[in-house]
Amino acid sequence: RTPTAHGTRTVTTARSVALVLRYARAYRASITVALTATVLLVAIGLAVPWIVRRLVSSVQESVDGSVPLAVVGWLAAGLLALYLVRALMRFAASYFAHNAGWGVVADARRDVYEHLQRLSMRFYEDQQTGQLMSRMVNDTDRFETLVSHALPDTVINVFTLLGVGAAMAAMNWRLALVTLVPIPLVLLAVRMYTRRVMPAFRTRQRELAELNATLQDNLSGIREIKAFGREVRESERIGGRIDDYRRSLLRALRLMATFSPFVEFASSLGTVIVIWFGGRLALGGRLPLADLVAFFLYLEMFYGPVRALSGAWEQVQESRAGAERVAELLDERPDITDRPGAVPLPDRVAGALQFRDVSFRYTRGEPVLEHISLDVAPRTVTALVGPSGVGKTTLSSLVPRFYDVTEGSVLIDGRDVRDVTLASLRRQVSVVLQDVFLFNGSVRDNILFGRPDADPGEVEEAARVANAAEFIEALPDGCETLIGERGIRLSGGQKQRIAIARAVLKDAPVLILDEATSSVDPQTERLIRQALERLMKGRTTLIIAHRLSTIRSADRIVVLEHRRIRETGTHDQLMTRNGHYRKMA
């Protein structure tokens, strides 16, 4: 049983392997070609000792001790032809197996990413980005091992065992039976190994995910690390994660290193048995010398697959460890989904918002909002103010259904937001946040994020409305300038104006501004405020802000305190009262 963000789920061995095989069904043709080539490789391998046996037998049958040249020629030509076919089959087996394996990995990664997109914001409250990246990249990478290596190796080794066993039994069934004596030791080793190695591989994958998560956090926060002089401490912390992963990896490798020599020793006992019993049979004239030579060649082919199957089993265990972690993630169910019968909103709503007796709490902790009732008229500006942590951002997040209310309802144009499709609801809402997130790409790419099908003229107009056109033109490559990860090459005010241009281009009728003018200088604030005034025109707007200058012209100001609405009114109305707003002002 494995813990997840929302409880505990069971992922069985059959379930985890079945997950990989489900993806493999799309590559049946490639897998069939690979396995067919693999079976032909087995047949070619079985034919080689037979040719050697035929050569030795011809030598023995020759009266004067010389082998007819024709026989030697035909045997050599046959062997050459087999080796040529073997080379072709090895290529086919390898290429088509890897084509299927990496196709499975690509499909799994695509599904994991799409599933992550569907999961609700509640899921991400307890997750580290690096952990999720590890599941998507490192754990799915194990799928290729199962499809491209473990599966073909198992087929080739099982068929080899059956074919070699049949060939040895045909030559001398008693001697063939004696060579099976070490097999129980091998099976016992496999069972003991499986019980110990699976937890080791699971621990290794978990430690790798922890390393990735810590490393991702540190690289994202490199500015803070330098600012607070934490380089040495964080290097020690990363070093600790690296050592934890190394120890977990070495434990798994130690189990593998113990298991493989034991299997090799147990299988080598078969050679000792053949020398003892086969030699006595040959000396007694009860086993032809050609059969004894072929027996030795087949014996190596027999125990080679036994050892190889142990390696394939290791690969299966590694793949299982990755598949279990992926299956756990795919088992997560989104909290926010379309209800059965949900209908799409019109292309453009009027923008009337209603909060009816709304209460909300996060997964754990005290309620954040209690009994909030509020009507927001279309195309008006409503400011939400109050101390930090009072629930302003949470209240606005209920409109696009980043979260669902615990009690009560939120309506848009008279319809409960839970009764309309998510896609149509979120098309009606634009959000400009304090902590702007820009993607690693060009300025144009980030503005187009609001509406990818917009033409260049619309992008330029959006930049002009956002007061961003002037600084964009001053950039080295204008709109095509690459801005780096999270827009690191831009100032805070420039990033804010790119975000506003993005919202302008989306042109949604409902607008949420969350601290959109904080942490900038007065000149930049003036430019941003001008851009926001243009953006808010004709839109239903919720403003979350602490600066009086950004909210005093709002149509209504709503003051939140202790999870409830304490007072509402315009700036002038609230200033005449001796309430919380006046104290803030």
Side-chain angles (χ1 to χ4, degrees):
R1 295 179 65 81
T2 49
T4 67
H6 295 97
T8 304
R9 305 191 192 284
T10 300
V11 180
T12 62
T13 300
R15 167 88 191 288
S16 58
V17 175
L19 174 67
V20 183
L21 296 181
R22 188 187 77 199
Y23 285 108
R25 282 200 294 268
Y27 299 90
R28 285 190 294 265
S30 290
I31 292 174
T32 300
V33 172
L35 294 183
T36 301
T38 297
V39 173
L40 291 175
L41 284 172
V42 173
I44 292 170
L46 293 173
V48 172
W50 181 87
I51 291 175
V52 174
R53 176 176 177 271
R54 181 72 181 87
L55 178 62
V56 174
S57 179
S58 297
V59 170
Q60 287 184 301
E61 292 170 0
S62 177
V63 176
D64 57 1
S66 62
V67 181
L69 292 179
V71 174
V72 174
W74 279 112
L75 291 176
L79 197 58
L80 177 62
L82 285 176
Y83 286 156
L84 288 173
V85 175
R86 184 176 68 179
L88 180 61
M89 291 302 101
R90 283 198 187 283
F91 166 78
S94 176
Y95 174 78
F96 285 100
H98 283 94
N99 178 66
W102 288 114
V104 165
V105 171
D107 291 347
R109 286 174 176 168
R110 190 178 297 109
D111 279 358
V112 169
Y113 178 73
E114 291 175 356
H115 185 70
L116 286 171
Q117 295 279 38
R118 288 191 294 269
L119 292 176
S120 315
M121 296 303 296
R122 286 185 188 272
F123 169 78
Y124 291 96
E125 292 170 13
D126 301 319
Q127 300 296 322
Q128 288 180 285
T129 303
Q131 285 273 6
L132 298 177
M133 289 174 61
S134 183
R135 295 207 183 197
M136 181 174 171
V137 178
N138 298 327
D139 292 331
T140 55
D141 198 63
R142 299 292 93 198
F143 291 12
E144 190 271 342
T145 302
L146 182 63
V147 176
S148 301
H149 300 281
L151 180 60
D153 288 352
T154 300
V155 170
I156 194 170
N157 290 312
V158 167
F159 274 90
T160 300
L161 280 174
L162 295 174
V164 169
M168 291 194 301
M171 288 186 290
N172 190 302
W173 68 269
R174 292 182 180 85
L175 185 58
L177 197 60
V178 173
T179 59
L180 299 179
V181 169
I183 294 298
L185 287 176
V186 175
L187 295 178
L188 178 63
V190 169
R191 182 177 180 182
M192 294 177 61
Y193 172 77
T194 302
R195 292 170 58 184
R196 288 170 173 78
V197 76
M198 188 58 200
F201 279 123
R202 192 182 296 115
T203 301
R204 186 193 70 170
Q205 292 296 105
R206 186 172 62 249
E207 293 294 347
L208 179 58
E210 292 287 350
L211 173 59
N212 285 337
T214 307
L215 188 60
Q216 195 271 341
D217 282 347
N218 277 37
L219 293 178
S220 298
I222 191 67
R223 188 190 300 270
E224 285 73 15
I225 290 173
K226 290 182 178 295
F228 287 90
R230 296 273 295 183
E231 291 93 340
V232 174
R233 179 67 187 88
E234 291 305 314
S235 293
E236 291 174 354
R237 194 157 72 99
I238 290 293
R241 290 294 187 195
I242 292 172
D243 288 340
D244 289 343
Y245 175 63
R246 177 178 59 86
R247 281 191 291 269
S248 66
L249 177 61
L250 287 176
R251 182 171 184 273
L253 292 175
R254 185 166 60 249
L255 288 169
M256 292 166 60
T258 303
F259 174 67
S260 297
F262 181 82
V263 171
E264 187 173 354
F265 171 76
S267 60
S268 64
L269 293 177
T271 305
V272 176
I273 291 171
V274 170
I275 290 176
W276 174 255
F277 288 100
R280 293 167 67 90
L281 290 173
L283 289 173
R286 288 172 290 174
L287 183 68
L289 179 61
D291 287 358
L292 181 61
V293 172
F295 221 99
F296 274 114
L297 294 175
Y298 277 126
L299 187 67
E300 181 58 30
M301 291 181 65
F302 183 78
Y303 280 105
V306 172
R307 292 189 291 270
L309 280 172
S310 67
W313 192 245
E314 293 168 7
Q315 294 171 335
V316 170
Q317 300 310 306
E318 290 184 37
S319 302
R320 271 185 57 200
E324 283 185 6
R325 287 168 52 81
V326 173
E328 290 168 14
L329 183 58
L330 293 176
D331 275 348
E332 293 287 352
R333 301 268 66 85
D335 298 318
I336 310 296
T337 58
D338 286 338
R339 281 181 173 178
V343 297
L345 286 168
D347 291 341
R348 192 173 186 85
V349 297
L353 300 177
Q354 292 177 297
F355 298 85
R356 291 182 176 172
D357 198 27
V358 167
S359 297
F360 178 81
R361 74 170 68 227
Y362 289 100
T363 306
R364 292 184 293 273
E366 294 293 319
V368 179
L369 300 169
E370 288 184 332
H371 306 296
I372 300 292
S373 293
L374 177 67
D375 287 348
V376 180
R379 294 175 290 282
T380 60
V381 177
T382 300
L384 304 176
V385 301
S388 296
V390 78
K392 302 184 296 294
T393 298
T394 301
L395 184 62
S396 65
S397 296
L398 300 176
V399 176
R401 288 191 72 196
F402 293 153
Y403 301 94
D404 269 343
V405 297
T406 306
E407 297 176 11
S409 59
V410 178
L411 288 76
I412 183 168
D413 282 7
R415 293 183 178 180
D416 193 317
V417 293
R418 293 167 294 187
D419 292 332
V420 301
T421 60
L422 271 173
S424 69
L425 172 65
R426 290 176 180 170
R427 278 198 300 269
Q428 310 294 331
V429 183
S430 289
V431 182
V432 180
L433 303 174
Q434 172 188 3
D435 184 18
V436 174
F437 189 97
L438 299 181
F439 294 89
N440 186 14
S442 69
V443 172
R444 184 184 304 279
D445 292 337
N446 278 276
I447 295 176
L448 282 171
F449 203 78
R451 184 156 58 89
D453 60 347
D455 59 48
E458 291 174 308
V459 172
E460 292 173 8
E461 177 62 17
R464 187 194 62 77
V465 172
N467 272 345
E470 185 177 346
F471 87 78
I472 291 174
E473 290 172 2
L475 293 174
D477 297 312
C479 245
E480 306 307 324
T481 301
L482 299 178
I483 61 175
E485 187 175 4
R486 296 182 67 94
I488 194 170
R489 296 176 185 168
L490 301 178
S491 69
Q494 289 172 335
K495 288 192 284 188
Q496 283 285 6
R497 281 177 278 171
I498 294 295
I500 292 170
R502 190 162 61 189
V504 169
L505 195 63
K506 184 178 180 181
D507 191 27
V510 178
L511 177 64
I512 297 172
L513 305 176
D514 193 346
E515 302 283 359
T517 61
S518 64
S519 305
V520 294
D521 61 85
Q523 172 65 14
T524 303
E525 181 187 1
R526 183 179 63 81
L527 293 172
I528 292 175
R529 193 163 63 248
Q530 288 174 352
L532 290 176
E533 287 172 357
R534 296 177 192 144
L535 176 61
M536 290 188 293
K537 185 175 291 186
R539 292 180 173 86
T540 304
T541 305
L542 293 179
I543 299 179
I544 300 164
H546 289 110
R547 292 192 180 186
L548 187 62
S549 58
T550 60
I551 60 176
R552 66 185 307 160
S553 61
D555 296 303
R556 182 161 54 159
I557 298 171
V558 177
V559 182
L560 296 173
E561 189 178 15
H562 302 307
R563 304 190 290 270
R564 296 173 182 265
I565 294 177
R566 291 305 179 190
E567 51 185 347
T568 65
T570 64
H571 169 76
D572 292 337
Q573 290 170 344
L574 293 175
M575 289 297 290
T576 62
R577 307 171 193 168
N578 190 26
H580 184 73
Y581 181 81
R582 179 173 177 140
K583 294 175 184 177
M584 290 174 59

